[in-house]
Amino acid sequence: MTFETLTNSTTLTVIDGGARAPRRAVPAAGLPRPVTHPAPRPEELARDMAQVYALSLLRDLPLADLLNPETVILRDGGSPVTLRMLLAQLSAFSRPHPHTGRAESEAGLNLSSASSQGHAGHRRFSRGGGQWTLFELLFGAGMALGPRAPLSAFLAAEGPQPDAVPETALPVPAPTAPMSAWIAWAEAETGAALHLPGRGPRAARPEDLSALSARVHLDDPRRAVLAAAILLLSQGVPLDAGLVAGGAGWSGPRLMSTLSRVAGRAARAARAGAATPRPDRPAVLATRLALAAAGEDLCGGAEAQTARALHAQLQARVPELLDWVARANAARPEAGHDLPDPEGGALTGWMPLALRHDLSLPTPRHNGSALPLAVAEGSIAVAAAMATVAKAVLALRCPGGTQADERGVGAELDALVANLASGRCAAGGAYPSEMTREIVLGEAVALDLLRDTLEADGAAAGCTLRSFDGHRLAMQATPCGPGAARVTLCVDGAVRLWPERARKDAQDICAVV
């Protein structure tokens, strides 16, 4: 017997009901996408710790001396150690990828010519599988333009020394509020203000990495970029002509409003990423390494295995660096010393107050108190997002369409963010690869907010900027209906897809028919 089965076939079609362009899953080539905290590979963790150790050796050196590779960084009665020797040790590791912070083969990866020209301190040092420069150590591999000095000019012009935070915070002004209201809010909220004659002492310029770390961990993360924006606007720097021509009301107050908005969005995105599992903080891991080097029983567990494996890898790759760290720790006034045994001789073996090979990181202090390292979580993402908005909204090009001094304002904003990231790493509160990912996240958040803003304006407008890793970005909004616009992105002159969105506002409205 034969049975016949009838099957009805139905085709479903999804109709997008949103006003914005469809979201893409593929990020733009050459553009960052938000990255949370992936589990670090052993080589990445070893390279990160080597870089943190290197920065710890430079904490108390004047920043001006760091441009000279022959600067002696360790004087403890032993053989002198120079900055050139330190960079040579780091070259045992592959340089990190500028977008992710992960190690990448040197094949096909060339340092930007802009970052290897100029001062002798930017020369390459070749050894092993990587090529490191002073520029990469101080500013990170994700920065493309070489600095003229190890410290951004904006850190030296942040305005007066901030007073105590007022008990009653000022409300955030409206985008159409006068600039005076925004300046008053920025000073009351973050301490960012212009330094006027007779207004009190100027904020101290960080002279070394220790002072820079204190600035990063004690200041509001928005202060530096807000102060830079106020300074540039006070000097008459115009807004991008493409935004002004759109007639959407772009002005100094609206720039300040956009900076405030992107700071909040970046902080939320950074907190979401920080909720994922992370390795021990560098200061904690360094203490584990010191115990592992002393042969102390770490009581097993994954953390102990990681510490032992990491110590073995560092000992195999950068043994001289570990020796320099131990020598620097032994030379510190607060360092422990060998304790005498009952017969007057030196005790052997490990003692809690007398590590023979101390690989721990010194506790960063300011005015005698330890820095609160945890309070700066997400601060680099906030600074990167705000700097990206400032670069996009402010006109950093000459009137004739020629390229402006991009090693000036634009590069100084990039250097400002890199300085803050170096302060985080030098204090032992974060890894360099994490700071690279925070910069990537902040830039992605800023591009996302600028896209939303241009779409909501619904006007023909555009802006240009240079990304942190050196790509030329151009955003152009084209009206596509009443009060709506479609925004395209060009990377180095070619139209690209947008990076993955850093934050999803709400569920899409759609119909299935």
Side-chain angles (χ1 to χ4, degrees), residues 248-275:
W250 280 97
S251 60
R254 192 178 186 192
L255 168 61
M256 298 293 290
S257 175
T258 307
L259 290 174
S260 175
R261 290 170 54 209
V262 80
R265 185 178 291 193
R268 290 191 294 271
R271 285 196 297 268

Side-chain angles (χ1 to χ4, degrees), residues 66-450:
L66 298 184
L67 287 176
N68 181 9
E70 303 305 329
T71 296
V72 177
I73 64 175
L74 180 58
R75 298 179 186 269
D76 62 343
S79 58
V81 180
T82 65
L83 187 55
R84 181 186 297 276
M85 298 166 62
L86 180 64
L87 294 172
Q89 278 284 289
L90 288 179
S91 63
F93 296 97
S94 297
R95 286 166 36 233
H97 189 279
H99 290 171
T100 65
R102 289 186 177 276
E104 180 172 320
S105 171
E106 285 292 301
L109 181 61
N110 297 319
L111 187 66
S112 170
S113 60
S115 64
S116 58
Q117 296 174 352
H119 199 282
H122 296 158
R123 291 197 298 261
R124 290 186 176 189
F125 295 81
S126 301
R127 179 181 175 183
Q131 296 177 335
W132 282 77
T133 67
L134 173 65
F135 174 75
E136 290 173 323
L137 175 60
L138 295 178
F139 287 83
M143 317 298 287
L145 297 178
R148 294 172 296 183
L151 188 68
S152 170
F154 290 124
L155 282 178
E158 283 194 19
Q161 183 69 33
D163 298 325
V165 178
E167 297 181 0
T168 303
L170 295 178
V172 179
T176 56
M179 193 65 195
S180 58
W182 276 104
I183 292 177
W185 171 84
E187 182 175 10
E189 186 78 7
T190 70
L194 290 174
H195 184 268
L196 301 176
R199 193 170 169 184
R202 181 186 293 272
R205 175 190 178 98
E207 297 295 338
D208 51 35
L209 285 176
S210 294
L212 183 60
S213 295
R215 176 73 62 86
V216 174
H217 292 88
L218 298 177
D219 279 1
D220 189 292
R222 301 167 293 176
R223 178 191 169 200
V225 181
L226 282 175
I230 293 173
L231 177 64
L232 292 173
L233 291 173
S234 70
Q235 293 177 346
V237 175
L239 304 187
D240 193 293
L243 293 176
V244 176
W250 280 97
S251 60
R254 192 178 186 192
L255 168 61
M256 298 293 290
S257 175
T258 307
L259 290 174
S260 175
R261 290 170 54 209
V262 80
R265 185 178 291 193
R268 290 191 294 271
R271 285 196 297 268
T276 59
R278 300 184 302 174
D280 287 331
R281 297 297 81 200
V284 176
L285 184 56
T287 302
R288 294 185 187 276
L289 291 176
L291 297 177
E296 179 71 6
D297 183 9
L298 300 182
C299 302
E303 295 84 358
Q305 295 178 4
T306 298
R308 294 192 187 97
L310 181 59
H311 178 260
Q313 187 168 166
L314 290 172
Q315 189 64 42
R317 291 197 174 203
V318 287
E320 295 178 45
L321 175 61
L322 297 186
D323 182 60
W324 298 336
V325 170
R327 285 171 51 185
N329 283 332
R332 296 182 184 279
E334 67 275 14
H337 301 281
D338 292 343
L339 301 179
D341 62 16
E343 287 73 30
L347 289 174
T348 58
W350 179 83
M351 288 293 293
L353 300 179
L355 287 172
R356 297 296 195 280
H357 200 68
D358 187 1
L359 299 180
S360 61
L361 292 174
T363 301
R365 297 184 178 277
H366 179 69
N367 293 336
S369 300
L371 291 179
L373 300 184
V375 301
E377 291 288 345
S379 61
I380 307 306
V382 172
M386 297 176 70
T388 301
V389 168
K391 290 188 295 182
V393 176
L394 291 171
L396 304 180
R397 290 178 177 271
C398 296
T402 59
Q403 180 178 348
D405 179 17
E406 299 219 28
R407 292 171 64 86
V409 176
E412 290 293 346
L413 286 169
D414 288 351
L416 173 61
V417 176
N419 283 154
L420 301 179
S422 296
R424 286 275 289 138
C425 296
Y431 296 101
S433 60
E434 290 177 338
M435 295 298 92
T436 299
R437 288 192 287 269
E438 277 202 29
I439 292 175
V440 167
L441 174 62
E443 190 169 71
V445 169
L447 292 176
D448 184 54
L449 183 136
L450 289 170

